[in-house]
Structures are given as C-alpha cells and as structure tokens.
Amino acid sequence: MKLGWKGWLGFGVSAVLVWWTLRGVDVSEVARLVRGANWLLLTAAVAVATSGFLVRAIRWRILLHPVDPDTPLNSRFGAVTIGFMANNLLPARVGEFARAYAMGRFESTVPVPAAFGSLVVERILDALILTLFLVGAILTPAFPDVELGGRFLLLLRTGLTVVGVVGVGLLLLLIFPGAIVRVIESVARLLPDAVERLVVESLEAFLDSLRVVRSPRLLGWAVAWTIGFWLWNGASFWLGMMAFGIDTGFVSALFTEAVVGFGVAIPAAPGFFGTFHASAQFALETVYGVDAARTLAFAYAYHLGGFFPVTFIGLWYARSLGLSLADVGESEDRVEEELQP
C-alpha cells in the first residue's frame, strides 16, 4: 500500500512525540529501571493485555448478533488480531478495515459492511466508557490535587462535548431513522456519484448495526462487556505499573488507561509509537507525580511487551486466510468496494 499523506503525518507525529517524551530524561536510567523491573508482574500484565483481545472477540458476538447470532469465536478472535496486527505494522490506521474485511473472509454470513458498522458501534461504546473512567477518576477524593491546566480542561470539555453530540446523534438515529437518512441522502446528492454511493451505503450498514442498540437486552450486554473489557485492560495497566514500583492505586491505572485510550486516537506511526508514551507520561508524571524515568520505563516496556504477541497471532491468522501483509494493507479499498452497490 502507498504511504500517502496520512502515513507521513503519522510518522511525523510519532517522531515529534518520541523526542518530546525523551527530552531531558536520562535514557540510561530508563534502561536501568527496565532491567530492574519485576518481570513476573510485567509478564502477567502482558498476558492480561493479550487475553483482552479474546474478551473483545467475545463482546463482538453481541454486536454482530443482528447479522448472525452464532458467529464462531475463532473467527471473531482471528479478525480482531488481524486488525490490531495491521495497526501495529501498517500506516494510516487500517486496522478497523482489516478487521471487517477479515471477518467477511472468515464468515460468509457476515457481510463486510455489517461487520464494519458493528465496529463503529463498538468504538462509540469504548469512548463512552473511557470517558466515564476518566471523569470518575478525577472526581474521586484520592485524585491528586494538581493544576491540570487550561489546555487539559479544554480537551476534557471538548471530549465530553463530542461524546454528548455523538450520543444525541445516535438517539436521533434511533428515534427518527427515516428522517435522518433522507436528510443525509439529500446532502449526499450534492457530492460526486461515487462518494454519494459510499456515504449512503455506509450509512445503511451503520444503521443495520444499530439494531443492537434498539434491543435493550443486547445493549445492556454490550455495555456490560465493554465495562468488563476496560476493567480487565485496566488491570493489565495496574500490574505493569506495579512492576516498576508505581503504586498509585487501581483508579490511577484506569485514569492512565483512559488517557492513553484517547491519546492513541491521534494519527501516529504504526504501533501507536509516541502517542502511547506521551499519554502515559501525562497521566503518570504530570498528574500523579511519578518521576519521568520510571514513567517512561513502564510506558516503553509495557507497550513493547504487548506489541509482539498480538502482532504474531494476527500474522498467523492472516496466513491461515491466505492474506499477505499487502492484502491486509489494501483492506480499506476492499471495504469501500463492498460498501458500494
């Protein structure tokens, strides 16, 4: 696949953030702390984080229920790992496209547009729960009495506003789906034919996936599994932090997880290099007062520890489907083709 402007932008952002996190820090001290880490706890942290992809696959069954209520766990887990492998190795954040495309290859009963639509719902649920964790941690009595600064408060307000707008938009789609579709179709007619078809077909796929939200039972299970997943993933952060002597409590691990979760949404090089570490540095060093070297030792060791297992598993599943890395890199184009009539 071509690198494109998005790829170059991601590499540029990562380079700047890696430099930013390491500026003024004694790298030899970071290396010493990594060597002296509790490797049993760090291994446990990586194991918990890696098993979280299985939890994601279990949750995905609920989101795919309106399309096919009996998708095999192996297919869902394979598609999940292929998607994260793609994000780790390929530019331009093609993981969601790769995941939807792989699921369509694994199971003919799951159309690619429906799989892709379910991932939009998944990301919305993730954002809502991470926002809940972020705000909840700030409101706890044990939260550090620090001046977060106008920029952070502005980002927090912006995030809450975005989540609120998305929530209202979803509510309107659920209550007035026909009217919203007609408005979007009217606006889409002003676009070139190919873009118009893509917008309309994408909207229809997304609305089809929203059948989960229209079912109180399925929505309740989806929310419960989303909370469970992020608590499970937060446990991996907590174990990783403890491996480096960062004993600031489980709530601080949830706060760090939430900050990192939003931070890695920023365009970056493959593998979230720079964005992951800068986000962890803000949460632990700026907010919780952990020294810079210890924070970076945790961030780089934990990140690299989790990078390799899912990448190798995803490559194995891709090979079982007969997909090369180049094929996975073209998944965005394949998904767009499937979305068009």
Side-chain angles (χ1 to χ4, degrees):
M1 64 179 296
K2 294 180 179 179
L3 191 59
W5 69 268
K6 290 187 290 185
W8 286 114
L9 174 64
F11 277 104
V13 169
S14 286
V16 170
L17 288 179
V18 168
W19 167 80
W20 178 265
T21 59
L22 294 175
R23 78 196 193 290
V25 176
D26 185 352
V27 178
S28 63
E29 174 65 9
V30 174
R32 186 190 68 80
L33 288 169
V34 171
R35 290 193 300 270
N38 185 323
W39 285 88
L40 181 61
L41 284 177
L42 184 58
T43 301
V46 171
V48 171
T50 303
S51 64
F53 296 106
L54 182 61
V55 180
R56 284 181 180 271
I58 295 172
R59 176 183 60 167
W60 200 12
R61 180 177 185 269
I62 300 169
L63 302 179
L64 291 173
H65 188 277
V67 182
D68 182 353
D70 297 312
T71 51
L73 177 59
N74 184 61
S75 298
R76 284 179 273 122
F77 181 67
V80 167
T81 56
I82 288 173
F84 279 87
M85 174 275 293
N87 278 339
N88 283 346
L89 298 182
L90 299 171
R93 202 68 65 84
V94 298
E96 301 306 324
F97 298 100
R99 182 173 163 187
Y101 177 63
M103 190 63 194
R105 289 284 297 267
F106 274 119
E107 300 297 327
S108 60
T109 57
V110 181
V112 171
F116 187 72
S118 71
L119 298 183
V120 177
V121 178
E122 180 181 288
R123 285 294 166 264
I124 292 172
L125 290 175
D126 286 342
L128 290 172
I129 298 307
L130 285 178
T131 301
L132 177 66
F133 284 6
L134 189 69
V135 175
I138 293 174
L139 295 178
T140 58
F143 191 77
D145 185 18
V146 296
E147 178 59 50
L148 294 177
R151 291 183 179 179
F152 176 78
L153 294 177
L154 175 62
L155 287 174
L156 181 60
R157 285 195 294 268
T158 302
L160 292 174
T161 301
V162 170
V163 171
V165 170
V166 170
V168 172
L170 278 176
L171 186 63
L172 291 175
L173 277 172
L174 292 173
I175 300 174
F176 309 109
I180 299 298
V181 169
R182 286 193 294 272
V183 169
I184 293 177
E185 286 179 340
S186 299
V187 174
R189 291 192 189 101
L190 303 176
L191 303 172
D193 290 343
V195 178
E196 177 188 356
R197 289 196 301 271
L198 180 60
V199 169
V200 173
E201 292 295 318
S202 301
L203 177 63
E204 290 176 355
F206 178 55
L207 286 175
D208 189 56
S209 67
L210 281 183
R211 282 187 286 171
V212 169
V213 187
R214 296 192 186 102
S215 167
R217 182 179 66 86
L218 290 178
L219 177 59
W221 278 112
V223 171
W225 273 99
T226 301
I227 294 173
F229 165 72
W230 287 110
L231 286 173
W232 182 262
N233 198 62
S236 76
F237 269 78
W238 180 62
L239 289 169
M241 289 159 55
M242 292 286 286
F244 289 89
I246 304 174
D247 189 10
T248 50
F250 185 67
V251 171
S252 72
L254 295 181
F255 177 80
T256 303
E257 169 190 54
V259 173
V260 169
F262 286 114
V264 296
I266 299 171
F272 313 111
F273 284 91
T275 52
F276 184 101
H277 312 92
S279 301
Q281 189 177 52
F282 170 81
L284 292 175
E285 182 185 349
T286 303
V287 175
Y288 280 92
V290 180
D291 68 87
R294 192 171 300 275
T295 295
L296 290 181
F298 155 74
Y300 279 95
Y302 176 83
H303 176 245
L304 287 174
F307 177 92
F308 292 104
V310 70
T311 301
F312 290 139
I313 296 171
L315 286 170
W316 186 87
Y317 272 105
R319 183 180 178 185
S320 72
L321 280 179
L323 296 176
S324 66
L325 199 57
D327 293 328
V328 175
E330 294 173 357
S331 58
E332 181 174 0
D333 295 333
R334 305 283 178 85
V335 171
E336 289 179 353
E337 289 172 4
E338 292 280 352
L339 287 172
Q340 294 178 9

